[in-house]
Amino acid sequence: MVYLYSLLIGLCCGTGKAEAPNPVRFAPVSELSVTQADTAKQTATAKKSKKKRRERKPAAAGVTMKRNITRASITQHNTEGYNIEILIMDGGLPIRNPEELQLIGSSGSTVSGSSYLGFDNVVFPFEGNIRFKSPSKMKAVTYDRVVSFKVTEPGRWVMRIDI
């Protein structure tokens, strides 16, 4: 495309129908002036922004690894409590009994009932691993799905897994 454009401009310039475009002109180096105060101000601003980045507080909870999962998120619903509820969603509908479910946690007990799935009486910091099998969207293949997460602050947490 650029070659065609250059060819058309060259032909038009040769016949006198158009003028060649003006080249970009830069200011001479002598006209540009940068004071020492400007550079000192920029350096101070850069140092302040680096300090802000360093003073960041680590997240209270997060997903450390996921495999064959569309989305996994963990949110705190209450600051009081010592449990983590697991919601496994497929197309907006909850899956109550996933195939070959394994709940592995660093502390507490696992609860797998018809309406509640999760960890109770956990000690923080807590690391958990959830493994289960579920079919693909077209029900042709069964995937082994895995999510690992870590929670550092106490409370009532809800982990939502979208497959």
Side-chain angles (χ1 to χ4, degrees):
M1 184 69 181
V2 174
Y3 177 73
L4 182 63
Y5 180 71
S6 307
L7 182 66
L8 288 174
I9 289 178
L11 289 174
C12 290
C13 288
T15 59
K17 303 259 183 196
E19 293 183 15
N22 292 335
V24 177
R25 296 185 184 166
F26 295 100
V29 177
S30 61
E31 291 180 14
L32 297 175
S33 64
V34 177
T35 63
Q36 190 174 6
D38 290 340
T39 56
K41 200 181 290 185
Q42 290 172 351
T43 305
T45 305
K47 285 182 181 178
K48 284 181 185 176
S49 64
K50 283 184 181 179
K51 283 183 182 178
K52 284 182 183 177
R53 280 185 255 147
R54 283 189 210 137
E55 294 173 4
R56 236 165 126 177
K57 184 179 175 185
V63 177
T64 55
M65 192 268 299
K66 62 182 183 174
R67 185 175 33 178
N68 295 325
I69 301 291
T70 304
R71 181 180 297 132
S73 62
I74 186 162
T75 55
Q76 188 176 24
H77 280 248
N78 194 349
T79 56
E80 296 175 2
Y82 299 96
N83 59 347
I84 300 167
E85 183 179 359
I86 310 296
L87 293 175
I88 301 173
M89 308 291 278
D90 185 12
L93 299 172
I95 297 176
R96 294 293 177 196
N97 297 321
E99 286 181 44
E100 299 181 29
L101 176 68
Q102 294 178 353
L103 297 174
I104 302 166
S106 59
S107 63
S109 60
T110 60
V111 179
S112 179
S114 61
S115 62
Y116 180 81
L117 183 67
F119 301 93
D120 279 343
N121 301 320
V122 298
V123 177
F124 295 98
F126 177 81
E127 291 186 26
N129 191 7
I130 303 162
R131 179 177 290 234
F132 61 96
K133 291 188 177 188
S134 69
S136 64
K137 300 286 183 192
M138 299 296 290
K139 310 288 189 232
V141 180
T142 300
Y143 288 114
D144 185 29
R145 303 179 190 264
V146 180
V147 177
S148 297
F149 63 97
K150 184 175 184 177
V151 181
T152 57
E153 294 183 6
R156 182 178 174 274
W157 295 86
V158 175
M159 171 111 193
R160 181 182 168 132
I161 301 169
D162 292 319
I163 58 173

